[in-house]
């Protein structure tokens, strides 16, 4: 499982409230990612990080912010949740091996905005 | 721009039949392609990557640069192959995914 833990795994929240999802990794990987999974769209990159305090936007970053103050934690924040942000959120890391760099995923966080 | 297309939302086959899940890509650089599988409500698991040319669970995929394709194949489907399959293209240190294909293997 590449040492990735996501929390919370399930959350229901109200429109307009802030929400933070946490991704924790135990293997000192440099690259971390947040994707969202929606039917008909596959997985889309929200934000990614290439080191402590180094982050960049993905293709669907509007309405989301991230922070990485420690190597092991990558936080995704919805400042004011909307119903369109109801989704499954996956954290991922990039791991180097003999074949190059491969991206591995966490178990997902199910977020419902009502 | 980089793009991955999986034309089939759902592929339904009988147990023992051959399977081919289609994937086409658009990328100006040298492509690095992957197949991921997701069983019901679980994490995405790496199934194959073209660079290692391996066979996992009987699945194979060959990169065809002329046709810009990376189709996933298995000669004899099994019921436990039922899952969502995603094709993905790596660019830099990021992945772009296709929309996914649900494979249903009927007994």
């Amino acid at each position: 499982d590449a040492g990735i833990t996501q929390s919370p795994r399930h959350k229901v929240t109200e429109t307009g409230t802030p929400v933070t999802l946490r991704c924790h990794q135990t293997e000192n990987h440099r690259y971390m990612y947040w994707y969202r999974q929606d039917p008909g769209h596959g997985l889309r990159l929200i934000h990614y990080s290439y080191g402590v305090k180094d982050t960049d936007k993905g293709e669907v970053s509007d309405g989301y912010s991230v922070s990485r103050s420690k190597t092991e934690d990558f936080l995704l924040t919805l400042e004011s949740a909307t119903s369109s942000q109801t989704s499954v959120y996956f954290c991922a890391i990039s791991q180097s091996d003999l074949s190059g760099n491969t991206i591995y995923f966490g178990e997902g966080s199910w977020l419902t905005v009502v | 721009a980089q793009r991955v297309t999986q034309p089939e939302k759902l592929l339904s086959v009988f147990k023992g039949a051959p399977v081919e899940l289609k994937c086409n890509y658009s990328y100006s650089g040298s492509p690095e392609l992957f197949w991921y599988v997701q069983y019901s409500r679980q994490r995405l698991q790496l199934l194959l990557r073209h660079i290692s040319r391996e066979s996992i669970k009987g699945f194979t995929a060959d990169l065809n640069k002329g046709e810009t394709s990376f189709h996933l194949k298995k000669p004899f489907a099994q019921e436990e192959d039922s899952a969502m399959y995603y094709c993905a293209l790596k660019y830099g240190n990021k992945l772009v995914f296709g929309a996914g294909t649900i494979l249903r293997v009927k007994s």
Side-chain angles (χ1 to χ4, degrees):
Chain A
D1 63 359
I4 305 168
T5 305
Q6 292 185 229
S7 60
R9 295 289 316 283
H10 298 87
K11 186 171 181 67
V12 179
T13 192
E14 293 186 348
T15 298
T17 60
V19 177
T20 295
L21 305 179
R22 179 184 183 231
C23 179
H24 180 77
Q25 54 123 338
T26 59
E27 299 180 4
N28 208 34
H29 299 294
R30 180 183 172 194
Y31 283 84
M32 299 182 74
Y33 310 82
W34 277 107
Y35 283 85
R36 59 177 289 173
Q37 181 184 35
D38 303 288
H41 293 279
L43 279 84
R44 293 176 293 174
L45 182 65
I46 305 171
H47 281 280
Y48 67 101
S49 170
Y50 45 96
V52 173
K53 297 187 180 178
D54 291 323
T55 65
D56 206 350
K57 296 179 180 179
E59 61 179 301
V60 290
S61 59
D62 287 349
Y64 301 95
S65 63
V66 290
S67 67
R68 192 164 178 204
S69 58
K70 299 183 291 184
T71 299
E72 57 265 35
D73 288 326
F74 191 32
L75 304 181
L76 177 70
T77 298
L78 291 65
E79 301 290 348
S80 178
T82 67
S83 58
S84 65
Q85 293 176 311
T86 292
S87 186
V88 185
Y89 292 86
F90 285 96
C91 176
I93 57 89
S94 179
Q95 179 170 295
S96 296
D97 53 34
L98 292 175
S99 298
N101 294 323
T102 302
I103 293 177
Y104 293 95
F105 289 83
E107 293 183 312
S109 294
W110 274 255
L111 177 67
T112 302
V113 183
V114 298
Chain B
Q2 51 282 341
R3 184 185 179 103
V4 176
T5 303
Q6 294 180 250
E8 303 140 327
K9 289 185 179 180
L10 171 66
L11 182 64
S12 188
V13 301
F14 283 102
K15 178 182 173 182
V19 172
E20 183 178 49
L21 300 171
K22 291 184 167 48
C23 172
N24 288 91
Y25 66 92
S26 174
Y27 184 51
S28 58
S30 182
E32 190 173 347
L33 286 143
F34 300 79
W35 277 100
Y36 285 82
V37 59
Q38 184 182 33
Y39 301 102
S40 180
R41 295 179 70 82
Q42 296 184 20
R43 74 174 77 215
L44 275 77
Q45 301 174 30
L46 177 66
L47 183 62
L48 281 178
R49 46 190 155 185
H50 90 271
I51 202 167
S52 56
R53 298 187 61 82
E54 54 199 341
S55 174
I56 304 293
K57 299 184 180 181
F59 285 97
T60 59
D62 289 317
L63 178 62
N64 186 322
K65 291 186 179 181
E67 296 183 358
T68 60
S69 68
F70 188 57
H71 303 327
L72 184 68
K73 299 178 183 179
K74 185 170 184 177
F76 308 104
Q78 299 174 315
E79 289 181 72
E80 54 263 35
D81 295 329
S82 294
M84 172 72 91
Y85 291 80
Y86 289 103
C87 183
L89 169 70
K90 189 175 174 190
Y91 65 106
N93 281 289
K94 297 171 285 187
L95 284 176
V96 62
F97 285 84
T101 299
I102 298 171
L103 174 64
R104 287 204 186 123
V105 181
K106 300 175 288 189
S107 57

